[in-house]
Amino acid sequence: METLNFNCDIYQYKQPLLDRALAYTHDEDDAADLVQDTFMKAFRFSAQFELGSNVRAWLFTILKNTFLNHYYKVKRKNEMIQQEDDLTSVQLAPSASANSSAGKFMMEDIQRSLSLLPEDCRFCFCRYFEGYKYHEIAAELDIPLGTVKTKIHVARGLLKKMLKNYRDGVAA
């Protein structure tokens, strides 16, 4: 679809999207931001839009998913942050001493376990751990996607066995 036609097609839904976004957010500024994010995603993924599909439904789906993703991200963030009114050095001391000593041994054990993995499994696992997607690793190594998934699965299983003591709460 031509970019100009696509832009015109989706812009006609601005007001209905804004109305729905306002129902979700209950705030005009947040609703406007949500609609803007929706349009940006629609432009970014316009090549994936199938001609003949319902543009309105596609846009409303993007709007809903964008809102839900933001909502759950904020919810997780708020759950992770536990505020204490008064943090003192006495409260922080146990974690600081545990981090400096036990953490060092734990990292050494993890590094040792990683070095014992077969080279191909270790490489795939480390790449995945660094944030690469399966298909990116497969393309880099020029191997099938299923092979990458298998190598990562094998690496996880071996690491679980090697680091079993930490899972059980007992440091060896």
Side-chain angles (χ1 to χ4, degrees), residues 122-153:
R122 178 175 59 238
F123 183 82
C124 291
F125 179 81
C126 288
R127 281 292 204 217
Y128 181 75
F129 188 75
E130 291 168 356
Y132 288 87
K133 306 285 186 225
Y134 290 125
H135 65 89
E136 294 171 329
I137 300 167
E140 181 179 352
L141 296 175
D142 195 27
I143 59 175
L145 183 67
T147 304
V148 170
K149 290 179 179 181
T150 300
K151 290 179 186 300
I152 293 171
H153 177 74

Side-chain angles (χ1 to χ4, degrees), residues 163-171:
L163 299 169
K164 180 180 166 234
N165 291 338
Y166 288 106
R167 185 189 64 211
D168 297 338
V170 178

Side-chain angles (χ1 to χ4, degrees), residues 56-105:
R56 178 178 161 80
W58 186 63
L59 289 169
F60 276 85
T61 300
I62 293 172
L63 179 85
K64 180 183 76 171
N65 290 340
T66 303
F67 171 74
L68 289 175
N69 288 341
H70 177 72
Y71 172 80
Y72 289 122
K73 182 171 35 171
V74 169
K75 184 177 176 183
R76 279 192 307 267
K77 181 179 175 185
N78 289 338
E79 287 173 357
M80 287 177 28
I81 298 174
Q82 298 175 353
Q83 289 185 322
E84 298 239 354
D85 293 334
D86 212 10
L87 285 178
T88 64
S89 59
V90 173
Q91 292 170 318
L92 296 175
S95 65
S97 63
N99 283 342
S100 64
S101 58
K104 182 176 187 245
F105 290 120

Side-chain angles (χ1 to χ4, degrees), residues 3-131:
T3 305
L4 183 59
N5 290 342
F6 183 76
N7 293 349
C8 292
D9 285 348
I10 67 171
Y11 190 74
Q12 68 180 333
Y13 297 107
K14 181 180 180 186
Q15 192 57 48
L17 287 168
L18 197 54
D19 294 340
R20 177 70 56 89
L22 192 56
Y24 288 151
T25 63
H26 305 290
D27 181 83
E28 289 183 17
D29 292 333
D30 290 341
D33 289 344
L34 181 57
V35 171
Q36 183 179 8
D37 289 344
T38 300
F39 280 139
M40 288 181 64
K41 287 181 181 179
F43 293 136
R44 187 178 325 139
F45 298 109
S46 62
Q48 296 175 1
F49 179 74
E50 296 179 19
L51 291 175
S53 297
N54 186 342
V55 176
R56 178 178 161 80
W58 186 63
L59 289 169
F60 276 85
T61 300
I62 293 172
L63 179 85
K64 180 183 76 171
N65 290 340
T66 303
F67 171 74
L68 289 175
N69 288 341
H70 177 72
Y71 172 80
Y72 289 122
K73 182 171 35 171
V74 169
K75 184 177 176 183
R76 279 192 307 267
K77 181 179 175 185
N78 289 338
E79 287 173 357
M80 287 177 28
I81 298 174
Q82 298 175 353
Q83 289 185 322
E84 298 239 354
D85 293 334
D86 212 10
L87 285 178
T88 64
S89 59
V90 173
Q91 292 170 318
L92 296 175
S95 65
S97 63
N99 283 342
S100 64
S101 58
K104 182 176 187 245
F105 290 120
M106 191 180 309
M107 285 307 297
E108 288 173 356
D109 287 345
I110 291 171
Q111 291 297 329
R112 187 178 329 106
S113 297
L114 279 171
S115 70
L116 295 174
L117 291 176
E119 175 63 33
D120 54 344
C121 292
R122 178 175 59 238
F123 183 82
C124 291
F125 179 81
C126 288
R127 281 292 204 217
Y128 181 75
F129 188 75
E130 291 168 356

